[in-house]
Amino acid sequence: MDTRAKNNVKVVGREDGPTIMLAHGFGCDQSMWRRVTERLVSDHQVVLFDHVGAGASDPAAWDAERYSTLDAYAQDVLDIVAELDLHDVVFVGHSVAAMIGVLAVAEDPSRFAELVLLTPSPRYLDDESDGYKGGFTRADIDELVESLESNYLGWSAAMAPNIVGNPDRPELGGELTDAFCRTDPARALAFARATFLSDNRSDLARVTVPTLVIECARDSLAPRHVGAYVHEQIAGSELVTLDAGGHCPQLSHPEPTTDAIVAFVDRLR
């Protein structure tokens, strides 16, 4: 299957500029990056894509068993950079795509120059065995999955405003709701299971490229202690805290988000 069609790959911006690959999170598609993309294209080559099962990815590529774990999404990232013959890529992953990036870079660091993790969480579930606080109990996750399964559209309308935060800007919650509603419910449920039941804490130590962790000061899905944990587990990483609320700063606070990415990329060039 053609990789470009499979993942609806788009390449925009300056061909001779640093290559930045933007990966969207659960329930979204590449359009969620548009406010960041428009700030990058003058000086950077930007690679956008949709995860299989989302956006305008090829429906024929979807396989529920294959995409039951994040490893398949990480392999898709590697397939894209290989198909486009990209090198020195700056991979920017939002939310669950941050861990997809961790897996891809750990598997083949040779094609990546830097890694940017935007509001990451390596495990959403609390772990009583070692005291790790991901922010959710197993009962919380079971309830979330049950809600997704029984009434996906209702869940989307209720949860999107809480995820994006910024209640004084309801249009942002509406935009995320619309993105959720464009996703096939069955595929969204599979991606939700892969997202919220994954545990990638041990994979953080496998990252060997320069890494930037970007967190929001107020984020109910990935609170600051989780950002600090990711920073501590990736040797030599940097941590930037945006004075922002919500889990989607590329949507709600595109300027400081872009500034943090560009400052990190430019400083290491």
Side-chain angles (χ1 to χ4, degrees), residues 139-223:
D140 292 332
I141 299 299
D142 288 344
E143 182 179 352
L144 181 151
V145 171
E146 183 180 345
S147 296
L148 278 168
E149 194 167 18
S150 63
N151 185 6
Y152 177 68
L153 296 181
W155 177 90
S156 299
M159 286 299 298
N162 293 326
I163 293 171
V164 80
N166 299 275
D168 57 324
R169 301 164 67 190
E171 70 278 6
L172 299 179
E175 183 169 341
L176 188 59
T177 299
D178 291 343
F180 284 171
C181 292
R182 289 194 299 269
T183 305
D184 177 84
R187 296 171 186 182
L189 178 61
F191 198 12
R193 291 182 184 278
T195 297
F196 293 108
L197 296 177
S198 62
D199 185 352
N200 297 107
R201 290 176 295 172
S202 63
D203 295 304
L204 299 176
R206 300 171 59 207
V207 175
T208 57
V209 303
T211 300
L212 172 66
V213 180
I214 304 177
E215 63 179 5
C216 289
R218 301 166 297 280
D219 183 348
S220 60
L221 280 186

Side-chain angles (χ1 to χ4, degrees), residues 6-7 49 51-52 61-80 100 103-104 191 194:
K6 176 182 176 182
N7 289 99
F49 69 100
H51 295 301
V52 169
W62 172 255
D63 179 271
E65 182 176 356
R66 171 174 168 77
Y67 289 98
S68 63
T69 72
L70 299 185
D71 296 291
Y73 298 96
Q75 184 58 56
D76 286 347
V77 169
L78 295 175
D79 290 345
I80 293 168
I100 291 170
L103 293 172
F191 198 12

Side-chain angles (χ1 to χ4, degrees), residues 4-267:
R4 289 177 182 258
K6 176 182 176 182
N7 289 99
N8 187 32
V9 178
K10 309 291 184 186
V11 181
V12 297
R14 182 174 167 178
E15 292 185 5
D16 61 346
T19 299
I20 298 181
M21 186 178 198
L22 302 175
H24 67 83
F26 166 77
C28 304
D29 57 34
Q30 62 185 262
S31 68
M32 296 297 287
W33 288 108
R34 69 185 185 284
R35 292 179 174 89
V36 170
T37 300
E38 65 188 19
R39 290 169 169 81
L40 292 175
V41 290
S42 61
D43 296 310
H44 304 83
Q45 177 174 248
V46 180
V47 179
L48 299 155
F49 69 100
D50 296 328
H51 295 301
V52 169
S57 62
D58 189 341
W62 172 255
D63 179 271
E65 182 176 356
R66 171 174 168 77
Y67 289 98
S68 63
T69 72
L70 299 185
D71 296 291
Y73 298 96
Q75 184 58 56
D76 286 347
V77 169
L78 295 175
D79 290 345
I80 293 168
V81 297
E83 175 71 20
L84 300 181
D85 195 24
L86 300 176
H87 300 273
D88 296 324
V89 175
V90 180
F91 182 93
V92 182
H94 170 236
S95 192
V96 65
M99 292 305 109
I100 291 170
V102 164
L103 293 172
V105 171
E107 182 67 24
D108 183 9
S110 66
R111 293 205 179 250
F112 299 92
E114 290 104 30
L115 179 63
V116 179
L117 309 178
L118 183 63
T119 62
S121 178
R123 176 181 165 116
Y124 290 93
L125 278 169
D126 298 336
D127 189 347
E128 294 182 0
S129 68
D130 61 7
Y132 173 83
K133 296 296 183 182
F136 296 85
T137 66
R138 182 58 194 245
D140 292 332
I141 299 299
D142 288 344
E143 182 179 352
L144 181 151
V145 171
E146 183 180 345
S147 296
L148 278 168
E149 194 167 18
S150 63
N151 185 6
Y152 177 68
L153 296 181
W155 177 90
S156 299
M159 286 299 298
N162 293 326
I163 293 171
V164 80
N166 299 275
D168 57 324
R169 301 164 67 190
E171 70 278 6
L172 299 179
E175 183 169 341
L176 188 59
T177 299
D178 291 343
F180 284 171
C181 292
R182 289 194 299 269
T183 305
D184 177 84
R187 296 171 186 182
L189 178 61
F191 198 12
R193 291 182 184 278
T195 297
F196 293 108
L197 296 177
S198 62
D199 185 352
N200 297 107
R201 290 176 295 172
S202 63
D203 295 304
L204 299 176
R206 300 171 59 207
V207 175
T208 57
V209 303
T211 300
L212 172 66
V213 180
I214 304 177
E215 63 179 5
C216 289
R218 301 166 297 280
D219 183 348
S220 60
L221 280 186
R224 292 189 63 181
H225 65 267
V226 174
Y229 178 89
V230 174
H231 169 50
E232 291 166 0
Q233 297 298 311
I234 299 180
S237 65
E238 300 180 30
L239 176 64
V240 168
T241 303
L242 301 180
D243 183 16
H247 190 61
C248 306
Q250 78 274 39
L251 181 62
S252 61
H253 296 79
E255 290 186 13
T257 300
T258 308
D259 289 346
I261 295 169
V262 171
F264 179 68
V265 171
D266 289 351
R267 189 168 66 253

